[in-house]
């Protein structure tokens, strides 16, 4: 099973503007969530997109805290994927 591509990882918010999340099926929905499963950010890819960028903010535009987060991709017809990202603020 393929895993989600995340770079840079760890994502140091003071050093990088954004992190690239890729290696997911085109048209997937990507969720950034806490280890307990709380969704902090959801990004929907267009049918011709297989990667996106995340700037470290939640749905309210606030930067997330330093922690390990889950990154999952969901697709209606292809396999779901999950990976982890370390965020340092």
């Amino acid at each position: 099973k393929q895993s989600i591509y995340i770079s840079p990882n760890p994502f140091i918010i003071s050093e990088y503007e954004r992190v690239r999340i890729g290696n997911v099926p085109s048209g997937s929905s990507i969720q950034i969530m806490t280890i307990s499963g709380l969704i902090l950010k959801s990004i929907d890819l267009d049918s011709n997109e297989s990667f996106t960028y995340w700037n470290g903010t939640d749905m309210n535009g606030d930067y997330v805290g330093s922690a390990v987060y889950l990154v999952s991709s969901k697709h209606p017809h292809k396999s779901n994927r999950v990976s982890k990202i370390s965020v340092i603020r």
Side-chain angles (χ1 to χ4, degrees), residues 8 11-19 53-56 63:
F11 175 31
I12 303 169
I13 291 177
S14 63
E15 290 185 24
Y16 305 102
E17 283 184 31
R18 58 191 186 174
V19 61
Y53 293 99
W54 178 53
N55 64 0
Y63 284 103

Side-chain angles (χ1 to χ4, degrees), residues 40-57:
L40 301 176
K41 183 88 166 200
S42 188
I43 303 167
D44 293 325
L45 301 183
D46 288 335
S47 59
N48 62 342
E49 294 178 319
S50 60
F51 71 91
T52 190
Y53 293 99
W54 178 53
N55 64 0
T57 60

Side-chain angles (χ1 to χ4, degrees), residues 1-17:
K1 190 172 182 176
Q2 291 183 310
S3 63
I4 297 172
Y5 170 84
I6 299 172
S7 181
N9 193 2
F11 175 31
I12 303 169
I13 291 177
S14 63
E15 290 185 24
Y16 305 102
E17 283 184 31

Side-chain angles (χ1 to χ4, degrees), residues 1 24-28 47 73-81:
K1 190 172 182 176
V24 296
S26 297
S28 292
S47 59
S73 73
K74 295 180 183 177
H75 190 279
H77 309 295
K78 308 223 169 124
S79 65
N80 297 334
R81 298 180 183 169

Side-chain angles (χ1 to χ4, degrees), residues 4 24 29-33 70-74 81-83:
I4 297 172
V24 296
S29 176
I30 295 173
Q31 280 87 31
I32 315 289
M33 58 188 119
L70 295 175
V71 180
S72 73
S73 73
K74 295 180 183 177
R81 298 180 183 169
V82 70
S83 193

